[in-house]
Amino acid sequence: MKIALGLDRSDSPETIRELIALGADEFFAGYVPVEWYNRYGWEVSINRRENGPVYQFTRFQDLAEAAEAVHANGGRFHLTFNAHDYDLERLLFVRDILRDVDTLEPDGYIVADPALMLEMRNWGIERPLHLSTGAGCFSPETVRWYHDGFEFKRVVIPRKLTLGEIGRFVPALADLNLEFEVMIIGPRCFYNDEYCFTLHTGNLPNFCNLLAGAPLAQGRFPATWKSDITAICADPENQVRPGSALDTFLKQIAWDPPELGRARTEPCGGAIRGMHPDLAAKFYMHCGLCAIAHLRRAGVQILKVPVRGSTWAKKDYVRLVRTVADHPNPTPQFCRELLNAPEYCTQPESCYYAVPDA
Amino acid sequence: MEFCLYITDLKLLEDLGGLFQPLDWQDMPAALKSTVFDNPNAADYIGHLIAVERLASLGLDETAVTRLYFGQEFCEHLVPEPKGVMQALFIARQMGWDFTYVTGNAVDSTLERIAANIEALVAAHGDADSFEVVINDWGVLRRLRQEYPAIKPVLGRLLTKQKRLGRFPEHMPTPNMEEIDTDTDTILRNQMRAWQALNLTVRSWRRFLHRQGIERIDLDMVPQGADLMPDAWGFAFGAYYPWSYLTAARNCPTAGLVDPVRRHVPLDAPCPRPCRRGNANLANMAHDPAPIIQRGTVAVTLNDAFAQPYLTGGVPLDRLVFEPFVPL
C-alpha cells in the first residue's frame, strides 16, 4: 500500500527526501498565494484548511522546490483545490492559480466541487483528478454519478464509512478502474467533513472543539516543570514514546479522581502502562492502524496521512504507518504493541474505524 | 408563498391544530420556566414555540399548509419504512396537500431503503410526476433519474453547500489576520461576499443542474444572507424555518449513551434509536447567542433572529418549509 502524506511550507526539500526514504510515496499540499489571503483571509479557503498559513504553501517558489524534490526522489505530488464550492468570483481566481501551478506538472488535483470539475476541463486542464472526501462519495452510486459526468482517477473514501461498507464499496466499482484512498491516522472530525459547513478559523475554537467531554482534571506541575519543558522542547521529535520527557511529565501530573468517572489512571503519577494516553491522543489523535489489514483486503491502495501543519511529527507518522502497511499480517495486537499506548487503545474515541476483531 | 410542513414522525399529525398552538411560555414564573426550559435539550421546544408565534403573526397556521415534507435527512437509522412513507402520502392526499419525500446522504444500504420507498410511492401514486424527492446525495439523484426520470428532484440543503454561520448571527468573528496586509474590515467584507454567494453563480454548473432535472433548490436561512439573482437563474427556491443546519455526523452522541463506541464511529449494526426517547446535547452549546442544539446526529441553529428577510420577501423564495421540531 502507498502512503500519501500532507506537506506544508515548513517541509524543505531535504525533509521531503527523508520522508520518501522512510516510506512516503505520495504527497499532497495546498497553495494559497498572497493575492488570495490578502483578499479573503484564511477563513475562505481554497482547500478547506482554514486555520492559517502554516498548513499551506504561500510562496510559489517554495511550492516549486517541494514539487521538484518529490519528483526528483521518485514520489508523486498532488495539489488540493477541494473547497466544498467556489462561487464565480473565487472560481476565476482559482483558474489563475491553476494556470501557475500547472507549470509545476503536479501528478493530479484533489477536488470536491463539481462546478470546478466542469470548468477545469473547459480551461484545458487534463491532469488526473482525485475526488476529495469533500465530494461526499458515501456509496458506489455516488461515485458513478461523478463518473457519468467527469473524468477522475481516484476516490478518497469518506472517513465515516465502516469497514464493512468499504469492503463492499471498492469491489462494487471494480469496472471503473479507479484508485481508492482512505484516511488512516491523525485528525478525524467529529462531524462528517463532507457536510460540515460551519466556520473554521485559526482565531476561535471550531464548533466541534466546543464539544467538551467529561471534565478534565489535572495535578499540579512538579517543581521541575521549567527544566522538564526545556528538555521536551530540546528534542521534539523523540517525545511521542513511552519514557520520553513529555511522557514522564504527563504521568507526573496525571490525576483522575474516581468521582469524575474517568478513573483510568492511578492518581498523581501512578503506573500508566506504556505511553500516557493523553500524549498518544494529542499526537495520533485518531488511529486506524488496526484497520489496515481490512482495508488492504478490501482493495484500498493508498493510506492518507493528513497532517499538514505538523512538520515535526511527520517522520514518526510515516514510520508507523509504513511498518504496519508492509507487515504481512498486522493484527490489532501487533498494532497495539507498536503504538505502546494500551490505555489510548482502549478508548473508543481513539479509533478511526471500528475494527471488529480489535 | 407555498407553505410546507416538514415532519419525520407521523404522530405529529394526530393533532395538527396543537402543532400550531402558541403557548405563553415567556411569562411563566421564573422558577417553573427554568425548571422546564433551562436544559440545552429543551432548545428544540423553545424553538418550536418561537416559530409558531412568528408564523402566527404572518397568518401561517395549519390551514395554510399545502404540502407535506416527510422523510429523513440526517440519520440513516431513521429512514422510514415504505409503510410509513405510504401512510404519509395517504394523509397528505386526505388533507389535499402535495407531497415531498425527503432523503439524506446515503451509504449503499441506505440507498436501497430510499429506493424501496420511492418504488412504493410510485406504485401508490400511479404517476411519478405528482410528487417530489429532496436530494441530498448525488448517488440518490443518479438512482432516481435512472429508474424514475419523471420524478421531480429538489436539490437539498446539504448539496447547496451554503456556509452556515449560525454561530454568529449578530456579527462575524474577527478573522485570523496572520501575515495579511489588507485591513480587517476589507477582509470581512470580502469574506461575507464569498459566503453569500453560491456556486450557482457558475453558468456551466447551472446548466449541468438543469440537465440533471433540477428546477427547485432548498436553502437554509443563514445570517449572512444568500445572494440570489432576482430571477433566481430560472430555479425556484425554498427555505427551512426555524432550524438551519450546521453540521452532522454518522456517529451520534445520543446513540453513544447506549453504546459509547457510537459516539465516535459508525457501526454496521442497527442503532437502538434512543433518540426517539431522549437526546444527548453536547456541552458548551448553550452559551452561543443563537440557540444551537445537537439533536441525535445533527447540529442545527435556531434561525429566528435572522429569518426576517426570508419570511418577508427580501430573498426571492416561493416556498417556506416549516420544521415544527428539529427534523430528526
Side-chain angles (χ1 to χ4, degrees):
Chain A
M1 300 173 93
K2 291 180 178 169
I3 295 174
L5 183 71
L7 290 180
D8 56 71
R9 67 186 191 180
S10 301
D11 293 307
S12 65
E14 180 53 34
T15 305
I16 291 167
R17 276 190 284 277
E18 290 176 39
L19 290 166
I20 290 176
L22 286 169
D25 304 281
E26 300 185 354
F27 299 87
F28 65 97
Y31 173 52
V32 184
V34 62
E35 294 84 3
W36 179 285
Y37 62 77
N38 269 338
R39 184 187 295 185
Y40 296 120
W42 300 107
E43 288 80 5
V44 177
S45 178
I46 294 178
N47 56 45
R48 289 197 292 131
R49 276 290 174 275
E50 297 93 342
N51 288 347
V54 300
Y55 300 88
Q56 311 285 354
F57 283 88
T58 51
R59 291 180 61 241
F60 186 79
Q61 187 57 35
D62 294 340
L63 182 71
E65 288 172 8
E68 186 181 350
V70 171
H71 286 149
N73 288 279
R76 298 175 73 78
F77 187 70
H78 302 104
L79 280 166
T80 179
F81 292 88
N82 66 338
H84 284 129
D85 70 336
Y86 303 91
D87 67 286
L88 182 60
E89 178 186 307
R90 280 178 287 156
L91 193 75
L92 296 176
F93 209 143
V94 168
R95 179 192 60 190
D96 295 342
I97 295 168
L98 273 166
R99 282 179 179 158
D100 287 343
V101 299
D102 209 54
T103 62
L104 303 177
E105 300 186 347
D107 297 287
Y109 297 110
I110 305 166
V111 296
D113 180 9
L116 172 64
M117 295 170 75
L118 279 174
E119 288 298 314
M120 286 174 87
R121 290 299 175 248
N122 293 338
W123 301 334
I125 292 171
E126 299 293 340
R127 295 189 192 283
L129 300 183
H130 296 183
L131 284 183
S132 161
T133 53
C137 292
F138 279 91
S139 76
E141 194 76 9
T142 307
V143 177
R144 290 187 187 279
W145 180 85
Y146 280 101
H147 197 265
D148 291 342
F150 312 96
E151 288 180 27
F152 55 93
K153 181 181 177 186
R154 182 180 297 182
V155 178
V156 187
I157 297 174
R159 291 173 166 93
K160 298 290 181 67
L161 286 193
T162 67
L163 292 178
E165 288 159 353
I166 294 172
R168 299 190 298 270
F169 188 101
V170 176
L173 295 165
D175 57 307
L176 299 187
N177 193 27
L178 296 170
E179 297 173 347
F180 297 94
E181 177 177 305
V182 297
M183 311 280 182
I184 200 63
I185 199 165
R188 187 207 58 202
C189 311
F190 183 86
Y191 293 104
N192 299 348
D193 72 285
E194 302 80 4
Y195 291 105
C196 182
F197 305 131
T198 60
L199 175 73
H200 291 69
T201 169
N203 252 12
L204 279 175
N206 293 327
F207 181 67
C208 44
N209 292 340
L210 295 174
L211 313 177
L216 181 64
Q218 189 176 75
R220 299 287 296 168
F221 283 9
T224 55
W225 67 277
K226 287 187 177 173
S227 59
D228 292 343
I229 291 170
T230 302
I232 291 164
C233 295
D235 188 17
E237 289 196 2
N238 287 307
Q239 296 306 313
V240 192
R241 56 205 60 183
S244 70
L246 180 55
D247 184 53
T248 304
F249 179 79
L250 286 172
K251 286 170 178 169
Q252 282 182 297
I253 63 170
W255 183 63
D256 291 302
E259 61 269 27
L260 291 179
R262 210 180 67 121
R264 62 171 192 230
T265 60
E266 294 176 19
C268 292
I272 297 173
R273 293 169 297 141
M275 192 180 349
H276 192 291
D278 290 351
L279 176 56
K282 192 62 104 179
F283 180 74
Y284 300 121
M285 290 173 271
H286 302 94
C287 171
L289 293 180
C290 296
I292 286 177
H294 293 265
L295 295 164
R296 191 161 59 195
R297 279 197 297 276
V300 171
Q301 301 108 319
I302 299 101
L303 302 171
K304 179 168 254 173
V305 182
V307 289
R308 286 189 276 165
S310 304
T311 299
W312 64 276
K314 288 175 186 173
K315 291 176 195 166
D316 238 17
Y317 277 111
V318 173
R319 273 193 209 102
L320 196 62
V321 176
R322 176 49 67 204
T323 301
V324 179
D326 287 351
H327 196 278
N329 182 26
T331 61
Q333 185 184 350
F334 171 81
C335 297
R336 288 176 176 211
E337 286 173 2
L338 191 66
L339 219 58
N340 196 8
E343 293 182 46
Y344 166 80
C345 286
T346 61
Q347 297 166 1
E349 61 264 40
S350 306
C351 298
Y352 229 107
Y353 305 94
V355 180
D357 49 353
Chain B
M1 187 182 309
E2 185 180 23
F3 184 52
C4 313
L5 176 64
Y6 178 13
I7 58 167
T8 58
D9 185 350
L10 289 174
K11 286 181 187 162
L12 290 176
L13 295 180
E14 290 172 3
D15 181 13
L16 192 60
L19 202 57
F20 287 85
Q21 182 73 44
L23 179 72
D24 195 8
W25 66 289
Q26 295 282 24
D27 290 335
M28 286 172 70
L32 297 180
K33 192 164 100 177
S34 69
T35 304
V36 175
F37 290 112
D38 278 2
N39 178 318
N41 293 302
D44 201 357
Y45 303 94
I46 294 171
H48 171 87
L49 294 171
I50 290 171
V52 164
E53 193 174 323
R54 171 72 74 112
L55 291 173
S57 74
L58 297 169
L60 296 172
D61 59 17
E62 68 273 22
T63 63
V65 175
T66 56
R67 177 177 289 275
L68 181 66
Y69 267 49
F70 180 76
Q72 180 53 243
E73 284 176 285
F74 304 122
C75 180
E76 66 220 44
H77 299 288
L78 299 174
V79 172
E81 297 295 319
K83 184 180 168 190
V85 181
M86 298 293 287
Q87 282 179 329
L89 172 67
F90 179 73
I91 293 168
R93 280 183 164 175
Q94 280 199 318
M95 300 295 291
W97 298 338
D98 293 320
F99 186 73
T100 300
Y101 174 50
V102 186
T103 66
N105 71 294
V107 297
D108 55 357
S109 55
T110 313
L111 180 64
E112 295 311 317
R113 297 175 63 199
I114 290 170
N117 285 339
I118 295 171
E119 185 181 346
L121 284 171
V122 170
H125 249 293
D127 53 343
D129 62 353
S130 60
F131 67 95
E132 305 171 335
V133 177
V134 172
I135 299 294
N136 281 299
D137 184 299
W138 298 122
V140 176
L141 177 62
R142 184 176 193 267
R143 178 69 70 89
L144 189 73
R145 284 178 53 74
Q146 281 197 335
E147 298 187 1
Y148 306 105
I151 296 178
K152 292 174 231 163
V154 177
L155 192 70
R157 57 178 155 179
L158 300 184
L159 291 178
T160 55
K161 311 289 183 185
Q162 283 175 289
K163 189 62 112 182
R164 274 30 178 225
L165 300 178
R167 278 177 71 195
F168 312 101
E170 291 153 5
H171 57 83
M172 293 302 302
T174 305
N176 174 12
M177 296 299 289
E178 206 173 346
E179 300 183 13
I180 293 175
D181 296 328
T182 315
D183 65 273
T184 305
D185 287 346
T186 302
I187 293 289
L188 273 173
R189 269 199 309 277
N190 292 342
Q191 290 187 341
M192 287 301 282
R193 191 173 68 252
W195 287 327
Q196 287 166 345
L198 302 168
N199 64 0
L200 294 168
T201 49
V202 180
R203 181 186 299 171
S204 59
W205 179 234
R206 294 196 301 270
R207 286 180 179 160
F208 185 89
L209 288 177
H210 280 304
R211 286 199 301 274
Q212 296 277 315
I214 303 291
E215 296 173 3
R216 171 171 288 284
I217 298 172
D218 278 351
L219 297 175
D220 261 329
M221 297 181 183
V222 287
Q224 77 270 27
D227 189 9
L228 305 182
M229 295 292 285
D231 69 351
W233 305 290
F235 295 106
F237 281 91
Y240 295 83
Y241 176 80
W243 297 106
S244 286
Y245 172 86
L246 285 176
T247 183
R250 290 190 75 202
N251 42 304
C252 175
T254 300
L257 295 175
V258 179
D259 179 351
V261 175
R262 287 187 186 274
R263 179 181 165 125
H264 305 285
V265 288
L267 299 177
D268 285 314
C271 177
R273 308 201 295 186
C275 57
R276 298 348 259 159
R277 303 186 302 278
N279 189 57
N281 210 348
L282 293 166
N284 283 338
M285 285 189 162
H287 80 278
D288 284 296
I292 290 176
I293 184 170
Q294 173 81 31
R295 176 80 175 95
T297 56
V298 64
V300 293
T301 185
L302 183 69
N303 59 32
D304 192 67
F306 43 86
Q308 191 67 10
Y310 299 87
L311 296 174
T312 55
V315 179
L317 306 176
D318 69 358
R319 177 181 286 185
L320 181 66
V321 184
F322 172 47
E323 309 152 292
F325 298 99
V326 177
L328 188 91

